Amino acid sequence: MPDFPDHPFATVPELGAALRDGRTTSRELTEYYLDRCDELGPKYNAVVTVTRDRALEEADRADRELTDGNDRGPLHGIPYGVKDLLATAGTPTSWGAAPFKDQVFEKDATAVRKLADAGAVLVAKLSMVELAGGLGYDQANASFTGPGLNPWDPSRWSGGSSSGPGSAVAAGLVPFAIGTETWGSIVTPAAYCGIAGLRPTYGRISRHGAMALSWTMDKLGPMCRTAHDCGLVLAALVGADPDDESCLDADWTYPVDDAPPRRFRLAELKGTTDRLQQEVADNYQAARDVVAGFADIEEAELPDWPYEEVAGTIISCEAATVFEELVRDGSIREMTAEEDRWRIYSDLMTPARDYINAQRLRRKIQRAMDEFFADYDAVISPTLSTVAGPIDQPFHEWSRGFASTSIGGASNASGIPAVSVPNGFGEKGLPTGLQFVGRAFNELTLLRLANAYQERTDWHTRHPEV
């Protein structure tokens, strides 16, 4: 093991400093994390494939370049993992589903290529809910690799659909990972596993080479030890891509040295704490008190739109279209979760007018949300209403009686960014999360808020005994 403290849970800047001052090499780091993936990956059902040969080749290149004075930036020589719906040349990309477990693509996804260009080292393909949850699963055991297990308590779920990235970062198998979110799939495992997760604006990161679930709602994003790490990873991924017409060439750099021009102004939605587990509510109030030291918080209400219905209709219709071939060829019967074998049939029967009307309403929702955020830097809220639930119970059983505000549906329907960071521990010592949601393409403000909170707290330094 390379010689510096708390190594498995070190941040990207800490690992970068150790590389540059000679305390370790990329090869040493890479071999260490490869071994952790081999040893601990099965313990949490977190790893599908360890990419050892590729990783060592990339690590050796990173070391040579650093020796020659060619420094590619903060991610140079840093190992990482990707959710197994991102194509990696010559390595299986399973999409978490049994029918595709031997699927191999010839080229890397754009995000994987960009991380290679930044000098990062791919060590593992990480587990996920089958087909990213697009078939409507209601249980943790919805992947051919088994349920995602939470490193804080393996009898609890790590969250979906980016279950492997959540478990792997929390357990110190990788310093950071790339997840995806259509509705909750980055912020949920981030909150349940006690790490940071950034869902960027729709169109901020290319999805070329990623499995499609919902063409108009899918987003890629970083899952890391800290919000600051998320910003460093995001900076390597942004930019236009001719292979993804939805990806915009919007300027964005990180980090920046200038301080915010004023105190932040945040909205807290009416009823934010009404239907939360008590510990979640208590941790949110304590976090809110910290944030109040650098931000003004006022109660507000979102514009009155059917956010969840619009987002749910769009996802159901687009996912049914994407996966219709599974019905035609009978592969749908190979899904792990029982409900994933039949729910698509009802989605396939959704009238076209419902989808068209949902998209028409979505335009109005996007406009309304943009106008709402003209008055606020962000909405502050608990990320989720409960801690992670037991892996042996359907979601609807252990979450009964609890609910978050409508910001989840509203923000994903409108494609705006969010960041979740840990803010304490609740039932059974499981992590809870604090979330900031902001205006489209305003990730920098959200990171400033999250960084300011993490500078004043130490929840992000806690890690499970693995």
Side-chain angles (χ1 to χ4, degrees), residues 245-259:
E245 294 180 354
S246 72
C247 186
L248 302 178
D249 191 18
D251 291 337
W252 196 82
T253 57
Y254 186 89
V256 293
D257 295 329
D258 60 305

Side-chain angles (χ1 to χ4, degrees), residues 11 16 23 32 61 68 86 88 105-106 125 146 157 163 175 180-181 211 239 241 256 272 276 361 435 460:
T11 64
R23 282 176 287 160
Y32 179 70
R61 182 187 69 181
D68 293 340
L86 285 167
T88 49
F105 294 99
E106 295 180 357
K125 305 292 293 295
W157 193 37
S163 54
T180 67
E181 174 159 330
M211 185 207 82
D241 179 9
V256 293
T272 287
L276 306 178
L361 285 172
Q435 178 178 237
H460 57 285

Side-chain angles (χ1 to χ4, degrees), residues 317-331:
C317 291
E318 294 186 354
T321 303
V322 171
F323 302 125
E324 183 178 8
E325 185 60 29
L326 293 174
V327 175
R328 295 184 184 279
D329 67 15
S331 299

Side-chain angles (χ1 to χ4, degrees), residues 1-2 7-8 26-44 47 49-53 55-56 79-80 122-124 171-175 466:
M1 172 174 169
H7 171 55
S26 181
R27 180 156 187 125
E28 287 178 334
L29 283 180
T30 299
E31 288 178 335
Y32 179 70
Y33 284 109
L34 286 168
D35 290 345
R36 286 182 71 83
C37 287
D38 277 331
E39 177 186 356
L40 297 175
K43 182 177 180 180
Y44 303 109
V47 176
T49 304
V50 176
T51 56
R52 185 171 291 271
D53 290 344
L56 293 176
Y80 77 101
L122 178 64
V123 297
L173 308 187
V174 290
V466 297

Side-chain angles (χ1 to χ4, degrees), residues 11 22 57 65 70 146 186 227 233-234 281 284 317 324 343 363 407 414 421 427 432 437 441 453:
T11 64
E57 181 179 332
E65 290 178 343
N70 179 15
I186 288 175
V233 175
L234 180 61
Y284 170 69
C317 291
E324 183 178 8
R343 282 189 174 171
R363 295 280 186 132
I407 192 61
S414 54
V421 292
E427 177 186 306
T432 61
V437 179
F441 297 102
Y453 175 73

Side-chain angles (χ1 to χ4, degrees), residues 32 54 59 79 94 107 181 186 200-201 237 270 276 298 305 341 353 357 364 392 414 419 429 440 442 454:
Y32 179 70
R54 173 176 178 152
S94 72
K107 295 182 179 180
E181 174 159 330
I186 288 175
T201 307
L237 295 172
K270 186 176 181 180
L276 306 178
E298 60 185 67
W305 292 95
R341 301 170 199 157
R353 65 176 178 272
N357 285 330
K364 298 178 184 295
D392 59 354
S414 54
V419 61
N442 207 11
Q454 294 197 307

